[in-house]
Structure formats: C-alpha cells, structure tokens
Amino acid sequence: LNFALSLLIGFVVGLIVGRIAVRRRLGFLAGALAGAVFYLIIFLVSLISSYPGNLAVNGTTLTTGSLVISFLLFCLWSIGGGLVSLFGTWVATVRHPHYLKLGE
C-alpha cells in the first residue's frame, strides 16, 4: 500500500508540475522532494514503538548500520519518486508546443 501510494503521489505531483511549470526537470525535482518527504514520514512513524503495524520489538535501538541502510533507502525512495514524477511531467507536457518545437 505504501509503494502504490508513493507511485500515485509522485505521478500526481508530476502532472501538476508539468501543467504549471512545463519544465520536465522541475517535475523530477518535485517528485524527488515528494518521495523524500513521504519516506521521512514513514520512517518517523516506524520509530513509534507502540504504533499499530510496527514489527519492531520494544527494545530495538538505532545502530549505525541501520541508519546507513535507512539513508540508502531514503535516497532510493527519492530517486524513485523523481522518476515517477518525471513520467507524470512527460505525460502532461508531451503535446506542449515547447517540446514539439524541439523535435523538429
């Protein structure tokens, strides 16, 4: 559910940025930011020990290794959000005159 929701958010962000700014590069950056914020929210919720759905044992602590893995997942989630948003921006701007002119 988290993955599907992240894909949907990234695509919608891409569509919105594509309609407003027309620049595809900005769509990627907005999606990367949306993916990063989404991952940070999920990460912070997972730190709440008594939150329903968390599989962590109450005595689990954060170690350097787990923080490195979390940072790598944060980077991957951001890049994935950026790529999905880039696709949404492409869908929104595929027939825009600016990009049709470049193809000639």
Side-chain angles (χ1 to χ4, degrees), residues 3-40:
F3 185 71
L5 187 60
S6 174
L7 289 177
L8 182 66
I9 289 172
F11 187 76
V12 170
V13 165
L15 283 175
I16 292 170
V17 170
R19 296 280 182 200
I20 293 173
V22 180
R23 298 283 182 192
R24 293 178 182 164
R25 183 180 334 149
L26 294 177
F28 177 81
L29 292 175
L33 181 65
V37 168
F38 190 78
Y39 181 78
L40 283 176

PDB file of all heavy atoms in Angstrom, residues 3-40:
ATOM      1  N   PHE A   3       3.881   1.564  -1.213  1.00  0.00           N
ATOM      2  CA  PHE A   3       4.525   1.703  -2.516  1.00  0.00           C
ATOM      3  C   PHE A   3       3.545   2.251  -3.552  1.00  0.00           C
ATOM      4  O   PHE A   3       3.882   3.162  -4.315  1.00  0.00           O
ATOM      5  CB  PHE A   3       5.085   0.345  -2.954  1.00  0.00           C
ATOM      6  CG  PHE A   3       5.867   0.405  -4.220  1.00  0.00           C
ATOM      7  CD1 PHE A   3       7.099   1.013  -4.257  1.00  0.00           C
ATOM      8  CD2 PHE A   3       5.355  -0.140  -5.382  1.00  0.00           C
ATOM      9  CE1 PHE A   3       7.824   1.077  -5.436  1.00  0.00           C
ATOM     10  CE2 PHE A   3       6.058  -0.085  -6.557  1.00  0.00           C
ATOM     11  CZ  PHE A   3       7.294   0.526  -6.589  1.00  0.00           C
ATOM     12  N   ALA A   4       2.338   1.716  -3.579  1.00  0.00           N
ATOM     13  CA  ALA A   4       1.338   2.188  -4.534  1.00  0.00           C
ATOM     14  C   ALA A   4       0.957   3.639  -4.252  1.00  0.00           C
ATOM     15  O   ALA A   4       0.792   4.439  -5.183  1.00  0.00           O
ATOM     16  CB  ALA A   4       0.104   1.293  -4.476  1.00  0.00           C
ATOM     17  N   LEU A   5       0.846   3.994  -2.992  1.00  0.00           N
ATOM     18  CA  LEU A   5       0.528   5.372  -2.634  1.00  0.00           C
ATOM     19  C   LEU A   5       1.661   6.317  -3.037  1.00  0.00           C
ATOM     20  O   LEU A   5       1.415   7.420  -3.525  1.00  0.00           O
ATOM     21  CB  LEU A   5       0.250   5.475  -1.133  1.00  0.00           C
ATOM     22  CG  LEU A   5      -0.264   6.806  -0.617  1.00  0.00           C
ATOM     23  CD1 LEU A   5      -1.576   7.169  -1.285  1.00  0.00           C
ATOM     24  CD2 LEU A   5      -0.423   6.751   0.882  1.00  0.00           C
ATOM     25  N   SER A   6       2.886   5.871  -2.870  1.00  0.00           N
ATOM     26  CA  SER A   6       4.028   6.687  -3.279  1.00  0.00           C
ATOM     27  C   SER A   6       4.049   6.894  -4.792  1.00  0.00           C
ATOM     28  O   SER A   6       4.335   7.992  -5.270  1.00  0.00           O
ATOM     29  CB  SER A   6       5.323   6.031  -2.821  1.00  0.00           C
ATOM     30  OG  SER A   6       6.427   6.722  -3.317  1.00  0.00           O
ATOM     31  N   LEU A   7       3.753   5.841  -5.550  1.00  0.00           N
ATOM     32  CA  LEU A   7       3.690   5.972  -7.006  1.00  0.00           C
ATOM     33  C   LEU A   7       2.600   6.945  -7.424  1.00  0.00           C
ATOM     34  O   LEU A   7       2.807   7.788  -8.307  1.00  0.00           O
ATOM     35  CB  LEU A   7       3.441   4.610  -7.653  1.00  0.00           C
ATOM     36  CG  LEU A   7       4.571   3.610  -7.621  1.00  0.00           C
ATOM     37  CD1 LEU A   7       4.119   2.293  -8.253  1.00  0.00           C
ATOM     38  CD2 LEU A   7       5.794   4.132  -8.329  1.00  0.00           C
ATOM     39  N   LEU A   8       1.447   6.848  -6.794  1.00  0.00           N
ATOM     40  CA  LEU A   8       0.340   7.735  -7.122  1.00  0.00           C
ATOM     41  C   LEU A   8       0.672   9.189  -6.780  1.00  0.00           C
ATOM     42  O   LEU A   8       0.424  10.093  -7.588  1.00  0.00           O
ATOM     43  CB  LEU A   8      -0.923   7.296  -6.380  1.00  0.00           C
ATOM     44  CG  LEU A   8      -2.172   8.107  -6.666  1.00  0.00           C
ATOM     45  CD1 LEU A   8      -2.611   7.913  -8.110  1.00  0.00           C
ATOM     46  CD2 LEU A   8      -3.275   7.717  -5.713  1.00  0.00           C
ATOM     47  N   ILE A   9       1.257   9.417  -5.619  1.00  0.00           N
ATOM     48  CA  ILE A   9       1.637  10.778  -5.222  1.00  0.00           C
ATOM     49  C   ILE A   9       2.669  11.350  -6.188  1.00  0.00           C
ATOM     50  O   ILE A   9       2.567  12.498  -6.629  1.00  0.00           O
ATOM     51  CB  ILE A   9       2.155  10.795  -3.770  1.00  0.00           C
ATOM     52  CG1 ILE A   9       1.006  10.569  -2.797  1.00  0.00           C
ATOM     53  CG2 ILE A   9       2.858  12.113  -3.448  1.00  0.00           C
ATOM     54  CD1 ILE A   9       1.450  10.372  -1.364  1.00  0.00           C
ATOM     55  N   GLY A  10       3.682  10.552  -6.532  1.00  0.00           N
ATOM     56  CA  GLY A  10       4.705  11.020  -7.465  1.00  0.00           C
ATOM     57  C   GLY A  10       4.139  11.361  -8.833  1.00  0.00           C
ATOM     58  O   GLY A  10       4.491  12.377  -9.433  1.00  0.00           O
ATOM     59  N   PHE A  11       3.230  10.523  -9.326  1.00  0.00           N
ATOM     60  CA  PHE A  11       2.636  10.775 -10.637  1.00  0.00           C
ATOM     61  C   PHE A  11       1.785  12.038 -10.614  1.00  0.00           C
ATOM     62  O   PHE A  11       1.857  12.862 -11.534  1.00  0.00           O
ATOM     63  CB  PHE A  11       1.802   9.573 -11.070  1.00  0.00           C
ATOM     64  CG  PHE A  11       1.291   9.672 -12.474  1.00  0.00           C
ATOM     65  CD1 PHE A  11       2.142   9.452 -13.549  1.00  0.00           C
ATOM     66  CD2 PHE A  11      -0.026   9.996 -12.723  1.00  0.00           C
ATOM     67  CE1 PHE A  11       1.683   9.554 -14.845  1.00  0.00           C
ATOM     68  CE2 PHE A  11      -0.497  10.095 -14.010  1.00  0.00           C
ATOM     69  CZ  PHE A  11       0.353   9.880 -15.082  1.00  0.00           C
ATOM     70  N   VAL A  12       0.991  12.224  -9.566  1.00  0.00           N
ATOM     71  CA  VAL A  12       0.137  13.415  -9.469  1.00  0.00           C
ATOM     72  C   VAL A  12       0.981  14.674  -9.328  1.00  0.00           C
ATOM     73  O   VAL A  12       0.684  15.700  -9.951  1.00  0.00           O
ATOM     74  CB  VAL A  12      -0.869  13.266  -8.305  1.00  0.00           C
ATOM     75  CG1 VAL A  12      -1.587  14.558  -8.020  1.00  0.00           C
ATOM     76  CG2 VAL A  12      -1.857  12.158  -8.615  1.00  0.00           C
ATOM     77  N   VAL A  13       2.045  14.594  -8.551  1.00  0.00           N
ATOM     78  CA  VAL A  13       2.955  15.750  -8.427  1.00  0.00           C
ATOM     79  C   VAL A  13       3.549  16.087  -9.792  1.00  0.00           C
ATOM     80  O   VAL A  13       3.654  17.250 -10.175  1.00  0.00           O
ATOM     81  CB  VAL A  13       4.058  15.469  -7.383  1.00  0.00           C
ATOM     82  CG1 VAL A  13       5.194  16.456  -7.497  1.00  0.00           C
ATOM     83  CG2 VAL A  13       3.475  15.512  -5.985  1.00  0.00           C
ATOM     84  N   GLY A  14       3.927  15.066 -10.545  1.00  0.00           N
ATOM     85  CA  GLY A  14       4.460  15.296 -11.881  1.00  0.00           C
ATOM     86  C   GLY A  14       3.455  15.937 -12.813  1.00  0.00           C
ATOM     87  O   GLY A  14       3.789  16.836 -13.593  1.00  0.00           O
ATOM     88  N   LEU A  15       2.219  15.476 -12.755  1.00  0.00           N
ATOM     89  CA  LEU A  15       1.176  16.088 -13.590  1.00  0.00           C
ATOM     90  C   LEU A  15       0.966  17.558 -13.233  1.00  0.00           C
ATOM     91  O   LEU A  15       0.859  18.417 -14.114  1.00  0.00           O
ATOM     92  CB  LEU A  15      -0.143  15.332 -13.426  1.00  0.00           C
ATOM     93  CG  LEU A  15      -0.267  14.005 -14.149  1.00  0.00           C
ATOM     94  CD1 LEU A  15      -1.575  13.325 -13.777  1.00  0.00           C
ATOM     95  CD2 LEU A  15      -0.191  14.198 -15.642  1.00  0.00           C
ATOM     96  N   ILE A  16       0.925  17.851 -11.943  1.00  0.00           N
ATOM     97  CA  ILE A  16       0.699  19.232 -11.508  1.00  0.00           C
ATOM     98  C   ILE A  16       1.858  20.133 -11.923  1.00  0.00           C
ATOM     99  O   ILE A  16       1.652  21.213 -12.482  1.00  0.00           O
ATOM    100  CB  ILE A  16       0.461  19.279  -9.986  1.00  0.00           C
ATOM    101  CG1 ILE A  16      -0.871  18.616  -9.643  1.00  0.00           C
ATOM    102  CG2 ILE A  16       0.489  20.716  -9.468  1.00  0.00           C
ATOM    103  CD1 ILE A  16      -1.089  18.397  -8.165  1.00  0.00           C
ATOM    104  N   VAL A  17       3.076  19.676 -11.680  1.00  0.00           N
ATOM    105  CA  VAL A  17       4.237  20.493 -12.047  1.00  0.00           C
ATOM    106  C   VAL A  17       4.343  20.621 -13.564  1.00  0.00           C
ATOM    107  O   VAL A  17       4.707  21.680 -14.082  1.00  0.00           O
ATOM    108  CB  VAL A  17       5.525  19.909 -11.434  1.00  0.00           C
ATOM    109  CG1 VAL A  17       6.763  20.585 -11.975  1.00  0.00           C
ATOM    110  CG2 VAL A  17       5.482  20.035  -9.927  1.00  0.00           C
ATOM    111  N   GLY A  18       3.999  19.565 -14.287  1.00  0.00           N
ATOM    112  CA  GLY A  18       4.021  19.639 -15.740  1.00  0.00           C
ATOM    113  C   GLY A  18       3.030  20.639 -16.288  1.00  0.00           C
ATOM    114  O   GLY A  18       3.313  21.348 -17.258  1.00  0.00           O
ATOM    115  N   ARG A  19       1.864  20.721 -15.692  1.00  0.00           N
ATOM    116  CA  ARG A  19       0.852  21.688 -16.136  1.00  0.00           C
ATOM    117  C   ARG A  19       1.234  23.118 -15.772  1.00  0.00           C
ATOM    118  O   ARG A  19       0.971  24.044 -16.529  1.00  0.00           O
ATOM    119  CB  ARG A  19      -0.505  21.371 -15.521  1.00  0.00           C
ATOM    120  CG  ARG A  19      -1.078  20.076 -15.943  1.00  0.00           C
ATOM    121  CD  ARG A  19      -1.716  20.205 -17.280  1.00  0.00           C
ATOM    122  NE  ARG A  19      -2.314  18.918 -17.630  1.00  0.00           N
ATOM    123  CZ  ARG A  19      -2.621  18.564 -18.833  1.00  0.00           C
ATOM    124  NH1 ARG A  19      -2.393  19.389 -19.824  1.00  0.00           N
ATOM    125  NH2 ARG A  19      -3.148  17.395 -19.080  1.00  0.00           N
ATOM    126  N   ILE A  20       1.862  23.291 -14.610  1.00  0.00           N
ATOM    127  CA  ILE A  20       2.172  24.645 -14.145  1.00  0.00           C
ATOM    128  C   ILE A  20       3.493  25.151 -14.723  1.00  0.00           C
ATOM    129  O   ILE A  20       3.550  26.235 -15.307  1.00  0.00           O
ATOM    130  CB  ILE A  20       2.215  24.685 -12.600  1.00  0.00           C
ATOM    131  CG1 ILE A  20       0.821  24.429 -12.039  1.00  0.00           C
ATOM    132  CG2 ILE A  20       2.749  26.022 -12.105  1.00  0.00           C
ATOM    133  CD1 ILE A  20       0.787  24.283 -10.542  1.00  0.00           C
ATOM    134  N   ALA A  21       4.558  24.374 -14.570  1.00  0.00           N
ATOM    135  CA  ALA A  21       5.889  24.874 -14.908  1.00  0.00           C
ATOM    136  C   ALA A  21       6.365  24.464 -16.285  1.00  0.00           C
ATOM    137  O   ALA A  21       7.274  25.083 -16.826  1.00  0.00           O
ATOM    138  CB  ALA A  21       6.898  24.400 -13.871  1.00  0.00           C
ATOM    139  N   VAL A  22       5.848  23.410 -16.853  1.00  0.00           N
ATOM    140  CA  VAL A  22       6.169  22.871 -18.172  1.00  0.00           C
ATOM    141  C   VAL A  22       7.581  22.275 -18.238  1.00  0.00           C
ATOM    142  O   VAL A  22       7.833  21.416 -19.057  1.00  0.00           O
ATOM    143  CB  VAL A  22       5.982  23.934 -19.284  1.00  0.00           C
ATOM    144  CG1 VAL A  22       6.312  23.385 -20.649  1.00  0.00           C
ATOM    145  CG2 VAL A  22       4.574  24.475 -19.282  1.00  0.00           C
ATOM    146  N   ARG A  23       8.464  22.647 -17.383  1.00  0.00           N
ATOM    147  CA  ARG A  23       9.830  22.106 -17.391  1.00  0.00           C
ATOM    148  C   ARG A  23       9.857  20.723 -16.766  1.00  0.00           C
ATOM    149  O   ARG A  23       9.475  20.539 -15.610  1.00  0.00           O
ATOM    150  CB  ARG A  23      10.782  23.015 -16.614  1.00  0.00           C
ATOM    151  CG  ARG A  23      10.915  24.376 -17.174  1.00  0.00           C
ATOM    152  CD  ARG A  23      11.793  24.354 -18.370  1.00  0.00           C
ATOM    153  NE  ARG A  23      11.954  25.704 -18.867  1.00  0.00           N
ATOM    154  CZ  ARG A  23      12.478  25.964 -20.027  1.00  0.00           C
ATOM    155  NH1 ARG A  23      12.897  24.997 -20.792  1.00  0.00           N
ATOM    156  NH2 ARG A  23      12.591  27.198 -20.416  1.00  0.00           N
ATOM    157  N   ARG A  24      10.344  19.753 -17.506  1.00  0.00           N
ATOM    158  CA  ARG A  24      10.380  18.378 -17.013  1.00  0.00           C
ATOM    159  C   ARG A  24      11.395  18.204 -15.886  1.00  0.00           C
ATOM    160  O   ARG A  24      11.209  17.379 -15.003  1.00  0.00           O
ATOM    161  CB  ARG A  24      10.679  17.432 -18.162  1.00  0.00           C
ATOM    162  CG  ARG A  24       9.554  17.384 -19.157  1.00  0.00           C
ATOM    163  CD  ARG A  24       9.854  16.493 -20.317  1.00  0.00           C
ATOM    164  NE  ARG A  24       8.734  16.543 -21.264  1.00  0.00           N
ATOM    165  CZ  ARG A  24       8.815  16.123 -22.493  1.00  0.00           C
ATOM    166  NH1 ARG A  24       9.935  15.629 -22.961  1.00  0.00           N
ATOM    167  NH2 ARG A  24       7.770  16.199 -23.284  1.00  0.00           N
ATOM    168  N   ARG A  25      12.445  18.966 -15.930  1.00  0.00           N
ATOM    169  CA  ARG A  25      13.459  18.896 -14.873  1.00  0.00           C
ATOM    170  C   ARG A  25      12.874  19.258 -13.517  1.00  0.00           C
ATOM    171  O   ARG A  25      13.170  18.633 -12.507  1.00  0.00           O
ATOM    172  CB  ARG A  25      14.600  19.848 -15.227  1.00  0.00           C
ATOM    173  CG  ARG A  25      15.754  19.830 -14.283  1.00  0.00           C
ATOM    174  CD  ARG A  25      16.838  20.797 -14.706  1.00  0.00           C
ATOM    175  NE  ARG A  25      16.822  21.031 -16.141  1.00  0.00           N
ATOM    176  CZ  ARG A  25      17.190  22.160 -16.720  1.00  0.00           C
ATOM    177  NH1 ARG A  25      17.630  23.157 -15.997  1.00  0.00           N
ATOM    178  NH2 ARG A  25      17.159  22.311 -18.016  1.00  0.00           N
ATOM    179  N   LEU A  26      12.002  20.255 -13.502  1.00  0.00           N
ATOM    180  CA  LEU A  26      11.349  20.649 -12.256  1.00  0.00           C
ATOM    181  C   LEU A  26      10.394  19.565 -11.770  1.00  0.00           C
ATOM    182  O   LEU A  26      10.194  19.397 -10.568  1.00  0.00           O
ATOM    183  CB  LEU A  26      10.604  21.968 -12.440  1.00  0.00           C
ATOM    184  CG  LEU A  26      11.477  23.190 -12.712  1.00  0.00           C
ATOM    185  CD1 LEU A  26      10.616  24.409 -12.958  1.00  0.00           C
ATOM    186  CD2 LEU A  26      12.431  23.425 -11.563  1.00  0.00           C
ATOM    187  N   GLY A  27       9.814  18.817 -12.691  1.00  0.00           N
ATOM    188  CA  GLY A  27       8.957  17.697 -12.307  1.00  0.00           C
ATOM    189  C   GLY A  27       9.742  16.626 -11.584  1.00  0.00           C
ATOM    190  O   GLY A  27       9.274  16.051 -10.600  1.00  0.00           O
ATOM    191  N   PHE A  28      10.963  16.344 -12.069  1.00  0.00           N
ATOM    192  CA  PHE A  28      11.810  15.361 -11.394  1.00  0.00           C
ATOM    193  C   PHE A  28      12.171  15.839  -9.991  1.00  0.00           C
ATOM    194  O   PHE A  28      12.098  15.071  -9.028  1.00  0.00           O
ATOM    195  CB  PHE A  28      13.084  15.099 -12.198  1.00  0.00           C
ATOM    196  CG  PHE A  28      14.024  14.146 -11.524  1.00  0.00           C
ATOM    197  CD1 PHE A  28      13.812  12.786 -11.611  1.00  0.00           C
ATOM    198  CD2 PHE A  28      15.095  14.614 -10.782  1.00  0.00           C
ATOM    199  CE1 PHE A  28      14.656  11.887 -10.982  1.00  0.00           C
ATOM    200  CE2 PHE A  28      15.947  13.731 -10.142  1.00  0.00           C
ATOM    201  CZ  PHE A  28      15.730  12.365 -10.246  1.00  0.00           C
ATOM    202  N   LEU A  29      12.545  17.103  -9.868  1.00  0.00           N
ATOM    203  CA  LEU A  29      12.927  17.631  -8.557  1.00  0.00           C
ATOM    204  C   LEU A  29      11.753  17.640  -7.580  1.00  0.00           C
ATOM    205  O   LEU A  29      11.915  17.309  -6.408  1.00  0.00           O
ATOM    206  CB  LEU A  29      13.506  19.045  -8.709  1.00  0.00           C
ATOM    207  CG  LEU A  29      14.846  19.126  -9.436  1.00  0.00           C
ATOM    208  CD1 LEU A  29      15.255  20.581  -9.619  1.00  0.00           C
ATOM    209  CD2 LEU A  29      15.910  18.361  -8.693  1.00  0.00           C
ATOM    210  N   ALA A  30      10.577  17.986  -8.061  1.00  0.00           N
ATOM    211  CA  ALA A  30       9.396  17.984  -7.187  1.00  0.00           C
ATOM    212  C   ALA A  30       9.063  16.557  -6.754  1.00  0.00           C
ATOM    213  O   ALA A  30       8.684  16.327  -5.601  1.00  0.00           O
ATOM    214  CB  ALA A  30       8.212  18.615  -7.913  1.00  0.00           C
ATOM    215  N   GLY A  31       9.205  15.599  -7.644  1.00  0.00           N
ATOM    216  CA  GLY A  31       8.947  14.207  -7.292  1.00  0.00           C
ATOM    217  C   GLY A  31       9.965  13.665  -6.315  1.00  0.00           C
ATOM    218  O   GLY A  31       9.628  12.884  -5.413  1.00  0.00           O
ATOM    219  N   ALA A  32      11.227  14.064  -6.497  1.00  0.00           N
ATOM    220  CA  ALA A  32      12.253  13.641  -5.546  1.00  0.00           C
ATOM    221  C   ALA A  32      11.969  14.207  -4.165  1.00  0.00           C
ATOM    222  O   ALA A  32      12.126  13.519  -3.153  1.00  0.00           O
ATOM    223  CB  ALA A  32      13.632  14.071  -6.042  1.00  0.00           C
ATOM    224  N   LEU A  33      11.528  15.438  -4.117  1.00  0.00           N
ATOM    225  CA  LEU A  33      11.170  16.047  -2.835  1.00  0.00           C
ATOM    226  C   LEU A  33       9.951  15.356  -2.220  1.00  0.00           C
ATOM    227  O   LEU A  33       9.932  15.072  -1.016  1.00  0.00           O
ATOM    228  CB  LEU A  33      10.891  17.538  -3.016  1.00  0.00           C
ATOM    229  CG  LEU A  33      10.530  18.311  -1.761  1.00  0.00           C
ATOM    230  CD1 LEU A  33      11.710  18.326  -0.792  1.00  0.00           C
ATOM    231  CD2 LEU A  33      10.116  19.717  -2.109  1.00  0.00           C
ATOM    232  N   ALA A  34       8.957  15.044  -3.033  1.00  0.00           N
ATOM    233  CA  ALA A  34       7.769  14.355  -2.530  1.00  0.00           C
ATOM    234  C   ALA A  34       8.129  12.957  -2.035  1.00  0.00           C
ATOM    235  O   ALA A  34       7.643  12.511  -0.995  1.00  0.00           O
ATOM    236  CB  ALA A  34       6.705  14.275  -3.620  1.00  0.00           C
ATOM    237  N   GLY A  35       9.003  12.245  -2.765  1.00  0.00           N
ATOM    238  CA  GLY A  35       9.435  10.925  -2.326  1.00  0.00           C
ATOM    239  C   GLY A  35      10.216  10.983  -1.030  1.00  0.00           C
ATOM    240  O   GLY A  35      10.055  10.124  -0.153  1.00  0.00           O
ATOM    241  N   ALA A  36      11.051  12.004  -0.876  1.00  0.00           N
ATOM    242  CA  ALA A  36      11.828  12.156   0.349  1.00  0.00           C
ATOM    243  C   ALA A  36      10.927  12.449   1.543  1.00  0.00           C
ATOM    244  O   ALA A  36      11.084  11.853   2.616  1.00  0.00           O
ATOM    245  CB  ALA A  36      12.862  13.276   0.179  1.00  0.00           C
ATOM    246  N   VAL A  37       9.964  13.328   1.361  1.00  0.00           N
ATOM    247  CA  VAL A  37       9.039  13.657   2.453  1.00  0.00           C
ATOM    248  C   VAL A  37       8.200  12.439   2.813  1.00  0.00           C
ATOM    249  O   VAL A  37       7.990  12.147   4.001  1.00  0.00           O
ATOM    250  CB  VAL A  37       8.157  14.863   2.061  1.00  0.00           C
ATOM    251  CG1 VAL A  37       7.004  15.045   3.024  1.00  0.00           C
ATOM    252  CG2 VAL A  37       8.995  16.122   1.985  1.00  0.00           C
ATOM    253  N   PHE A  38       7.738  11.699   1.813  1.00  0.00           N
ATOM    254  CA  PHE A  38       6.940  10.504   2.069  1.00  0.00           C
ATOM    255  C   PHE A  38       7.749   9.473   2.850  1.00  0.00           C
ATOM    256  O   PHE A  38       7.258   8.884   3.809  1.00  0.00           O
ATOM    257  CB  PHE A  38       6.451   9.919   0.737  1.00  0.00           C
ATOM    258  CG  PHE A  38       5.431   8.842   0.893  1.00  0.00           C
ATOM    259  CD1 PHE A  38       4.119   9.162   1.164  1.00  0.00           C
ATOM    260  CD2 PHE A  38       5.780   7.517   0.755  1.00  0.00           C
ATOM    261  CE1 PHE A  38       3.163   8.174   1.306  1.00  0.00           C
ATOM    262  CE2 PHE A  38       4.838   6.514   0.903  1.00  0.00           C
ATOM    263  CZ  PHE A  38       3.528   6.840   1.179  1.00  0.00           C
ATOM    264  N   TYR A  39       9.010   9.268   2.467  1.00  0.00           N
ATOM    265  CA  TYR A  39       9.840   8.305   3.180  1.00  0.00           C
ATOM    266  C   TYR A  39      10.125   8.763   4.605  1.00  0.00           C
ATOM    267  O   TYR A  39      10.123   7.955   5.530  1.00  0.00           O
ATOM    268  CB  TYR A  39      11.157   8.048   2.446  1.00  0.00           C
ATOM    269  CG  TYR A  39      12.017   7.040   3.170  1.00  0.00           C
ATOM    270  CD1 TYR A  39      11.741   5.692   3.078  1.00  0.00           C
ATOM    271  CD2 TYR A  39      13.073   7.442   3.979  1.00  0.00           C
ATOM    272  CE1 TYR A  39      12.496   4.753   3.753  1.00  0.00           C
ATOM    273  CE2 TYR A  39      13.838   6.516   4.660  1.00  0.00           C
ATOM    274  CZ  TYR A  39      13.545   5.178   4.540  1.00  0.00           C
ATOM    275  OH  TYR A  39      14.279   4.261   5.227  1.00  0.00           O
ATOM    276  N   LEU A  40      10.380  10.053   4.789  1.00  0.00           N
ATOM    277  CA  LEU A  40      10.635  10.554   6.143  1.00  0.00           C
ATOM    278  C   LEU A  40       9.427  10.368   7.052  1.00  0.00           C
ATOM    279  O   LEU A  40       9.581  10.028   8.225  1.00  0.00           O
ATOM    280  CB  LEU A  40      11.034  12.025   6.097  1.00  0.00           C
ATOM    281  CG  LEU A  40      12.464  12.305   5.663  1.00  0.00           C
ATOM    282  CD1 LEU A  40      12.705  13.806   5.574  1.00  0.00           C
ATOM    283  CD2 LEU A  40      13.457  11.666   6.601  1.00  0.00           C
TER     284      LEU A  40
END
